Coordinates of all heavy atoms in Angstrom, one line a residue:
T202 N 11.9 108.2 -86.8 CA 10.5 107.7 -86.7 C 10.3 106.4 -87.2 O 11.0 105.7 -87.8 CB 9.6 108.7 -87.6 OG1 9.6 108.4 -89.0 CG2 9.8 110.1 -87.5
I203 N 9.1 105.8 -86.7 CA 8.6 104.5 -87.2 C 7.3 104.8 -88.0 O 6.4 105.4 -87.4 CB 8.2 103.5 -86.0 CG1 9.4 103.4 -85.2 CG2 7.8 102.2 -86.6 CD1 10.7 102.9 -85.9
H204 N 7.3 104.5 -89.3 CA 6.2 104.8 -90.1 C 5.7 103.5 -90.7 O 6.4 102.8 -91.5 CB 6.7 105.8 -91.3 CG 5.7 106.0 -92.4 ND1 4.4 106.5 -92.1 CD2 5.7 105.7 -93.7 CE1 3.8 106.6 -93.4 NE2 4.5 106.1 -94.3
E205 N 4.5 103.2 -90.3 CA 3.9 101.9 -90.8 C 4.7 100.8 -90.5 O 4.9 99.8 -91.4 CB 3.5 102.0 -92.3 CG 2.5 103.1 -92.6 CD 2.2 103.2 -94.1 OE1 2.8 102.6 -94.8 OE2 1.2 104.0 -94.4
G206 N 5.3 100.7 -89.4 CA 6.2 99.6 -88.9 C 7.7 99.6 -89.4 O 8.4 98.7 -89.1
R207 N 8.0 100.6 -90.2 CA 9.4 100.6 -90.7 C 10.1 101.9 -90.3 O 9.4 103.0 -90.1 CB 9.4 100.4 -92.2 CG 8.9 101.6 -93.0 CD 8.9 101.4 -94.5 NE 8.6 102.6 -95.3 CZ 9.3 103.6 -95.7 NH1 10.6 103.4 -95.4 NH2 8.9 104.6 -96.4
P208 N 11.5 101.9 -90.1 CA 12.2 103.0 -89.7 C 12.3 104.0 -90.8 O 12.8 103.6 -91.9 CB 13.5 102.5 -89.3 CG 13.6 101.2 -90.1 CD 12.3 100.6 -90.3
V209 N 12.1 105.3 -90.5 CA 12.1 106.4 -91.5 C 12.9 107.6 -90.7 O 12.4 108.0 -89.7 CB 10.9 106.8 -92.1 CG1 11.1 108.0 -93.0 CG2 10.3 105.6 -92.9
V210 N 13.9 108.1 -91.3 CA 14.7 109.2 -90.7 C 14.2 110.4 -91.6 O 14.5 110.5 -92.8 CB 16.2 109.1 -90.8 CG1 16.8 110.3 -90.2 CG2 16.7 107.8 -90.1
L211 N 13.5 111.4 -90.9 CA 13.0 112.6 -91.6 C 14.0 113.7 -91.3 O 14.4 113.9 -90.2 CB 11.6 112.9 -91.2 CG 10.6 111.8 -91.4 CD1 9.2 112.3 -90.9 CD2 10.4 111.6 -93.0
V212 N 14.2 114.6 -92.2 CA 15.0 115.8 -92.1 C 14.3 117.1 -92.7 O 13.7 116.9 -93.7 CB 16.4 115.6 -92.6 CG1 16.3 115.3 -94.2 CG2 17.3 116.8 -92.3
T213 N 14.6 118.1 -92.1 CA 14.2 119.4 -92.6 C 15.2 120.5 -92.4 O 16.0 120.4 -91.4 CB 12.8 119.9 -92.1 OG1 12.5 121.1 -92.7 CG2 12.9 120.3 -90.7
Q214 N 15.4 121.3 -93.2 CA 16.3 122.5 -93.1 C 15.4 123.8 -93.4 O 16.0 124.9 -93.6 CB 17.5 122.5 -94.1 CG 18.5 121.5 -93.7 CD 19.7 121.5 -94.6 OE1 19.8 120.9 -95.7 NE2 20.7 122.3 -94.0
Q215 N 14.2 123.7 -93.3 CA 13.3 124.8 -93.5 C 13.5 125.8 -92.4 O 13.4 125.6 -91.3 CB 11.8 124.4 -93.5 CG 10.8 125.6 -93.8 CD 9.4 125.0 -93.8 OE1 9.1 123.9 -94.4 NE2 8.5 125.8 -93.2
N216 N 13.9 127.1 -92.9 CA 14.2 128.1 -91.9 C 13.2 129.4 -91.9 O 13.6 130.4 -91.3 CB 15.7 128.6 -92.1 CG 15.8 129.1 -93.6 OD1 15.0 129.5 -94.3 ND2 17.2 128.9 -94.0
Q217 N 12.1 129.2 -92.6 CA 11.1 130.2 -92.7 C 9.8 129.7 -92.9 O 9.6 128.6 -93.3 CB 11.5 131.3 -93.8 CG 11.6 130.7 -95.1 CD 12.1 131.8 -96.1 OE1 12.0 132.9 -96.0 NE2 12.7 131.3 -97.3
G218 N 8.8 130.5 -92.8 CA 7.4 130.0 -92.9 C 7.1 129.7 -94.4 O 7.6 130.3 -95.3
M219 N 6.1 128.8 -94.6 CA 5.7 128.4 -95.9 C 4.3 129.0 -96.1 O 3.5 129.2 -95.2 CB 5.8 127.0 -96.1 CG 7.1 126.4 -96.0 SD 8.3 126.9 -97.4 CE 7.6 125.8 -98.7
P220 N 3.8 129.2 -97.3 CA 2.4 129.6 -97.6 C 1.4 128.7 -96.9 O 0.3 129.2 -96.5 CB 2.3 129.6 -99.1 CG 3.7 129.8 -99.5 CD 4.5 129.1 -98.6
D221 N 1.6 127.4 -96.9 CA 0.6 126.5 -96.3 C 0.8 126.3 -94.8 O 0.1 125.5 -94.2 CB 0.8 125.1 -97.0 CG 2.2 124.5 -96.8 OD1 3.1 125.0 -96.2 OD2 2.4 123.5 -97.5
N222 N 1.7 127.1 -94.2 CA 2.0 127.1 -92.8 C 2.4 125.8 -92.3 O 2.1 125.5 -91.1 CB 0.7 127.5 -92.0 CG 0.3 129.1 -92.4 OD1 1.2 129.9 -92.4 ND2 -0.9 129.3 -92.6
L223 N 3.0 124.9 -93.2 CA 3.5 123.7 -92.7 C 5.0 123.6 -92.5 O 5.7 124.3 -93.3 CB 3.0 122.5 -93.6 CG 1.5 122.3 -93.7 CD1 1.1 121.3 -94.7 CD2 0.8 122.1 -92.4
I224 N 5.5 122.7 -91.8 CA 6.9 122.4 -91.7 C 7.2 121.2 -92.6 O 6.7 120.1 -92.3 CB 7.4 122.1 -90.3 CG1 7.1 123.2 -89.3 CG2 8.9 121.9 -90.3 CD1 7.6 124.6 -89.7
H225 N 8.0 121.4 -93.7 CA 8.1 120.3 -94.7 C 9.3 119.4 -94.4 O 10.4 120.0 -94.3 CB 8.2 120.9 -96.1 CG 6.9 121.5 -96.6 ND1 6.1 120.8 -97.4 CD2 6.2 122.7 -96.2 CE1 5.1 121.6 -97.6 NE2 5.0 122.6 -96.8
F226 N 9.1 118.2 -94.3 CA 10.1 117.2 -94.2 C 10.2 116.3 -95.3 O 9.4 116.2 -96.2 CB 9.9 116.3 -92.9 CG 10.1 117.0 -91.6 CD1 9.1 117.8 -91.0 CD2 11.2 116.8 -90.8 CE1 9.3 118.3 -89.7 CE2 11.5 117.3 -89.6 CZ 10.5 118.2 -89.1
K227 N 11.4 115.6 -95.4 CA 11.6 114.6 -96.5 C 12.5 113.5 -95.8 O 13.2 113.8 -94.7 CB 12.2 115.1 -97.6 CG 13.7 115.7 -97.5 CD 14.2 116.3 -98.8 CE 15.6 116.9 -98.5 NZ 16.2 117.3 -99.8
E228 N 12.5 112.3 -96.4 CA 13.3 111.3 -95.9 C 14.8 111.7 -96.2 O 15.1 112.1 -97.3 CB 13.1 109.9 -96.5 CG 13.8 108.8 -95.8 CD 13.3 107.4 -96.4 OE1 12.4 107.4 -97.2 OE2 13.9 106.4 -95.9
T229 N 15.7 111.4 -95.2 CA 17.1 111.8 -95.5 C 17.7 111.0 -96.6 O 17.4 109.8 -96.7 CB 18.0 111.6 -94.2 OG1 19.3 112.0 -94.4 CG2 17.9 110.1 -93.7
A230 N 18.6 111.6 -97.3 CA 19.3 110.9 -98.3 C 20.7 110.4 -97.9 O 21.3 109.6 -98.7 CB 19.5 111.8 -99.5
N231 N 21.0 110.6 -96.7 CA 22.3 110.1 -96.1 C 22.2 108.6 -95.9 O 21.5 108.2 -94.9 CB 22.6 110.9 -94.8 CG 24.0 110.6 -94.3 OD1 24.2 109.5 -93.8 ND2 25.0 111.5 -94.5
V232 N 23.0 107.9 -96.6 CA 22.9 106.4 -96.6 C 23.5 105.9 -95.2 O 22.8 105.0 -94.7 CB 23.9 105.9 -97.8 CG1 23.9 104.3 -97.6 CG2 23.3 106.2 -99.0
D233 N 24.4 106.5 -94.7 CA 25.0 105.9 -93.3 C 23.9 106.1 -92.3 O 23.7 105.3 -91.4 CB 26.2 106.8 -93.0 CG 27.3 106.4 -93.8 OD1 27.3 105.3 -94.5 OD2 28.3 107.3 -93.9
L234 N 23.2 107.2 -92.3 CA 22.2 107.5 -91.2 C 21.1 106.6 -91.4 O 20.5 106.1 -90.4 CB 21.7 109.0 -91.3 CG 21.2 109.7 -90.1 CD1 22.0 109.6 -88.9 CD2 20.7 111.1 -90.3
K235 N 20.6 106.5 -92.6 CA 19.4 105.6 -92.9 C 19.8 104.1 -92.4 O 19.0 103.4 -91.8 CB 19.1 105.6 -94.4 CG 18.5 106.9 -94.7 CD 18.3 107.0 -96.3 CE 17.3 106.0 -96.8 NZ 17.0 106.1 -98.2
S236 N 20.9 103.7 -92.9 CA 21.3 102.3 -92.6 C 21.5 102.0 -91.1 O 21.1 101.0 -90.6 CB 22.7 102.0 -93.3 OG 23.1 100.8 -93.0
E237 N 22.1 103.0 -90.4 CA 22.2 102.7 -88.9 C 20.9 102.6 -88.2 O 20.7 101.7 -87.4 CB 23.1 103.9 -88.3 CG 23.3 103.9 -86.8 CD 24.2 102.6 -86.4 OE1 24.8 102.1 -87.3 OE2 24.1 102.3 -85.2

Side-chain angles (χ1 to χ4, degrees):
T202 75
I203 304 298
H204 172 60
E205 297 180 350
R207 70 181 185 91
V209 177
V210 182
L211 298 177
V212 62
T213 184
Q214 287 187 275
Q215 182 176 318
N216 53 29
Q217 56 186 342
M219 299 290 286
D221 57 7
N222 296 317
L223 300 177
I224 307 297
H225 289 257
F226 286 80
K227 63 181 179 180
E228 186 173 4
T229 182
N231 188 283
V232 175
D233 293 335
L234 202 57
K235 291 172 62 174
S236 177
E237 179 66 17

